[in-house]
Amino acid sequence: MLDDQKLKRLNQLAKLKREDKISETELKELAGLREEYLSNFRNTFKNQIKNTKVIDPEGKDVTPDKIKALRNKK
């Protein structure tokens, strides 16, 4: 998870980029922080999907096989 300090820095760098006031070093830092943020987001989302169970109105488990396979992959 991205800590508050890194998230603040990511936002600062993004603002600098929007204002065209960013240096090459800061661009590289922004790219690294962005990748870390996206990686964290993807992992969190994947775990959320793994723990999702779909139930139809009749009470039957209709969770897609792909999600069940991810769950059993552990």
Side-chain angles (χ1 to χ4, degrees):
M1 183 171 205
L2 222 59
D3 61 25
D4 287 340
Q5 202 171 27
K6 285 184 178 182
L7 192 55
K8 283 180 185 178
R9 181 65 178 155
L10 176 64
N11 288 327
Q12 287 173 345
L13 292 171
K15 183 179 179 186
L16 287 175
K17 186 175 181 192
R18 282 192 306 272
E19 296 170 350
D20 291 325
K21 299 177 183 177
I22 194 166
S23 69
E24 276 299 313
T25 307
E26 290 171 328
L27 271 175
K28 289 178 185 176
E29 183 183 0
L30 175 62
L33 287 171
R34 223 179 236 159
E35 184 54 42
E36 187 178 344
Y37 176 83
L38 288 174
S39 175
N40 183 322
F41 177 84
R42 288 180 190 114
N43 288 333
T44 302
F45 189 75
K46 188 175 183 179
N47 285 332
Q48 190 174 12
I49 293 295
K50 280 183 189 179
N51 293 315
T52 299
K53 189 173 188 178
V54 182
I55 306 294
D56 71 3
E58 298 171 2
K60 295 179 186 173
D61 183 4
V62 292
T63 305
D65 292 335
K66 191 171 184 180
I67 293 174
K68 288 179 183 178
L70 277 174
R71 202 177 295 146
N72 294 333
K73 197 174 182 180
K74 292 180 184 178

